[in-house]
Amino acid sequence: METCLVTGGGGFIGSHVVEALLERGFAVRVLDNLSTGHRENLAAVQGRIEFIEGDIREPETAARAVDGVSLVFHLAAVVSVPWSMAHPLETEQVNTAGTLCLLEAAQKAGVRRLVFSSTCAVYGDDPTLPKTEAMPPAPVSPYAVSKLAAEGYCRIFAAALGLETVVLRYFNVFGPRQDPSSPYSGVISIFVDRLRRGQPVTIYGDGEQTRDFVYVGDVAQANLRAALAPDVSGQIFNIGTGRAVTVNHLFAVLSGLLNYPHPPRYEPPRAGDIRHSYADPSLARSRLGWSAQVAFEEGLRRLVG
């Protein structure tokens, strides 16, 4: 039985990757410092995994985590754009230096392939739509810069240092276990929490900004496909649905599902936020055999129960 490492496996997306791997019969080790992840996210599988509490920036911890591992799924990261604007140095230390530390440990340990969780934020505010992997990056936040730099290290390790790497650029992931109280939360989890409490909802900007919302279960399956597909080392793939959804439409659908009667409040856009973004996922479809299976509205229904 092959052993896989999931960094950030106690987090929102990472915990779903852990479950998908277990369903496929892999042995799973998790490395998480629990700064934003939660043991509760792994409660249903805690007897079936090995858990290491530690930080990817520590070389000894990284070496211990990759020992005996054939596949690494690297999700541990600072993922909040607003937080990165206020803390650019720590964002760089975690997302870039932490990734480099893990890559080096994985290469030394003989890991076969590392799948890196990146972000559509690397495309920045280029008005060209949809976003394709061939577009020149134009990051507008420290978060995006740090992820782009980490992508560069992945490319170098694949091209010259003998470690297969695959980069997944996630669009806006949503689903169960996304913590609405965290500064890392996505707009959907925050909206759901406030609507359920009957509290006012704030939309930054005019609400006509668009996002490509992709369900977390589909993202977990993309990770498995990226780990197992042949001849994709060194490649980058968009992980999205190809559908643009406005924040106003998101609010309207959730309001209907949760019987919320009030209009939203509008405030000025936040620094670093991108106006329009949706994926061209055709490369993932052709090379990984992956496409999103859960429609946006169906994903929201699953989320709110």
Side-chain angles (χ1 to χ4, degrees):
M1 181 187 297
E2 285 191 302
T3 299
C4 301
L5 171 68
V6 182
T7 73
F12 161 48
I13 302 173
S15 62
H16 287 274
V17 173
V18 168
E19 290 180 347
L21 289 167
L22 290 171
E23 288 172 6
R24 288 288 295 268
F26 289 101
V28 179
R29 178 181 299 157
V30 169
L31 173 62
D32 201 305
N33 67 1
L34 300 177
S35 59
T36 57
H38 305 281
R39 288 184 183 271
E40 294 76 23
N41 287 340
L42 298 168
V45 298
Q46 62 180 350
R48 301 168 60 195
I49 63 172
E50 178 187 355
F51 186 90
I52 298 173
E53 184 173 347
D55 197 298
I56 57 168
R57 291 171 288 183
E58 300 166 354
E60 291 182 1
T61 301
R64 176 187 166 203
V66 299
D67 184 44
V69 164
S70 57
L71 298 170
V72 173
F73 300 83
H74 178 33
L75 296 100
V78 169
V79 297
S80 167
V81 169
W83 196 92
S84 80
M85 300 296 277
H87 305 90
L89 181 58
E90 186 169 354
T91 300
E92 181 73 10
Q93 290 169 342
V94 174
N95 290 358
T96 307
T99 298
L100 179 56
C101 183
L102 185 67
L103 285 164
E104 188 171 49
Q107 187 262 338
K108 289 179 178 177
V111 168
R112 185 168 76 251
R113 182 176 291 182
L114 182 146
V115 179
F116 175 61
S117 292
S118 190
T119 172
C120 64
V122 301
Y123 296 120
D125 225 352
D126 186 322
T128 306
L129 293 169
K131 307 299 185 186
T132 72
E133 295 87 349
M135 291 174 60
V140 295
S141 68
Y143 166 63
V145 170
S146 69
K147 282 291 193 175
L148 183 61
E151 286 187 9
Y153 281 120
C154 288
R155 186 169 58 251
I156 290 166
F157 272 77
L161 295 172
L163 172 64
E164 292 188 5
T165 65
V166 180
V167 171
L168 302 181
R169 287 178 177 166
Y170 301 156
F171 281 68
N172 292 76
V173 187
F174 74 101
R177 303 185 205 135
Q178 198 167 22
D179 181 2
S181 65
S182 166
Y184 299 83
S185 292
V187 62
I188 290 180
S189 61
I190 294 170
F191 278 14
V192 169
D193 183 63
R194 297 192 71 82
L195 291 172
R196 280 180 166 156
R197 296 171 184 266
Q199 296 174 337
V201 170
T202 299
I203 292 177
Y204 295 95
D206 61 7
E208 289 303 299
Q209 62 267 42
T210 57
R211 296 292 183 267
D212 186 334
F213 294 107
V214 57
Y215 189 68
V216 67
D218 284 332
V219 173
Q221 291 303 315
N223 274 268
L224 266 66
R225 296 294 181 95
L228 301 174
D231 304 320
V232 293
S233 178
Q235 300 299 302
I236 295 169
F237 297 97
N238 285 338
I239 303 301
T241 68
R243 176 185 174 188
V245 175
T246 69
V247 176
N248 284 332
H249 178 66
L250 162 64
F251 177 82
V253 174
L254 285 176
S255 296
L257 289 171
L258 294 170
N259 299 310
Y260 182 82
H262 307 295
R265 300 184 307 194
Y266 291 90
E267 294 189 3
R270 298 177 300 185
D273 277 356
I274 291 165
R275 179 68 175 168
H276 295 294
S277 178
Y278 72 95
D280 176 352
S282 58
L283 192 62
R285 185 166 56 248
S286 64
R287 298 296 304 278
L288 302 180
W290 175 90
S291 60
Q293 301 299 304
V294 180
F296 174 63
E297 290 80 5
E298 170 60 23
L300 292 182
R301 282 192 289 270
R302 293 185 188 186
L303 174 60
V304 303

